[in-house]
Amino acid sequence: MNYKKVIIRIVTGILVIFASYFVLHIYANNKVINSYAAGFEKNPLGDYCKNTSDMVLCVYEAPLFQSKTNLSISSSMDKIDMIIWVPIYGGDLKSGLVITDDNAERTYHIELDENFETDIKEYNEILVENQEAIDALKLVIHKEWNIDL
């Protein structure tokens, strides 16, 4: 058996698999970007962002070997950021909030379920306190990306 041919076939197989994944990833990523970043400007970091009133909306490209990208919306006045994780190969959206409390000098990172709730009691109270600002973010998300949370 010629070991040189075996090694060349193995290396060729690995390269073909990697190239196929790379092409599939670029295609899926571009499909997500085209769906959510229409009307957004590409910034020097390669992200797509848009300013609306006191909010900043961004769409990020998924890095290689990651299956999710994210959409974000930030409200500078309320100091609440919402993140929506979008799977580039299909699946359900997931969301979370980053809420900054200047009085307590603390930032809360809250992952939400499909009912827009969390299991942590302390976080549920924070959600209730900030419900008006959260609803404003959800309204902009629905208007811009047609996503109902």
Side-chain angles (χ1 to χ4, degrees):
M1 178 174 250
N2 190 348
Y3 291 108
K4 191 174 184 180
K5 285 183 180 181
V6 171
I7 291 173
I8 289 173
R9 286 182 180 169
I10 290 172
V11 170
T12 303
I14 290 170
L15 289 175
V16 167
I17 290 170
F18 179 74
S20 299
Y21 173 78
F22 185 72
V23 169
L24 177 67
H25 181 81
I26 289 174
Y27 172 76
N29 208 5
N30 284 335
K31 192 173 177 183
V32 169
I33 294 297
N34 291 338
S35 296
Y36 294 107
F40 286 51
E41 294 181 28
K42 190 170 186 174
N43 66 21
L45 299 174
D47 305 324
Y48 297 85
C49 294
K50 178 180 183 180
N51 292 327
T52 60
S53 60
D54 67 332
M55 296 184 190
V56 178
L57 291 84
C58 290
V59 179
Y60 302 95
E61 290 187 15
L64 194 59
F65 302 117
Q66 289 195 5
S67 62
K68 292 186 180 180
T69 186
N70 66 58
L71 313 174
S72 70
I73 180 167
S74 301
S75 173
S76 58
M77 291 182 64
D78 297 316
K79 296 193 177 183
I80 297 177
D81 305 324
M82 185 176 293
I83 300 170
I84 302 168
W85 293 281
V86 180
I88 63 173
Y89 302 118
D92 295 332
L93 301 174
K94 293 190 178 190
S95 59
L97 292 167
V98 178
I99 300 175
T100 303
D101 185 356
D102 288 337
N103 296 332
E105 296 180 358
R106 185 170 177 195
T107 300
Y108 302 95
H109 301 267
I110 306 169
E111 188 170 344
L112 304 167
D113 63 15
E114 61 275 351
N115 297 323
F116 217 73
E117 296 173 349
T118 182
D119 295 334
I120 302 170
K121 188 175 182 179
E122 177 188 6
Y123 288 171
N124 278 325
E125 294 170 7
I126 293 168
L127 291 175
V128 169
E129 291 172 11
N130 294 287
Q131 191 61 47
E132 188 176 311
I134 293 169
D135 288 341
L137 291 176
K138 289 166 72 173
L139 184 65
V140 172
I141 288 170
H142 178 72
K143 180 182 170 189
E144 188 66 43
W145 293 310
N146 198 25
I147 296 174
D148 294 317
L149 299 173

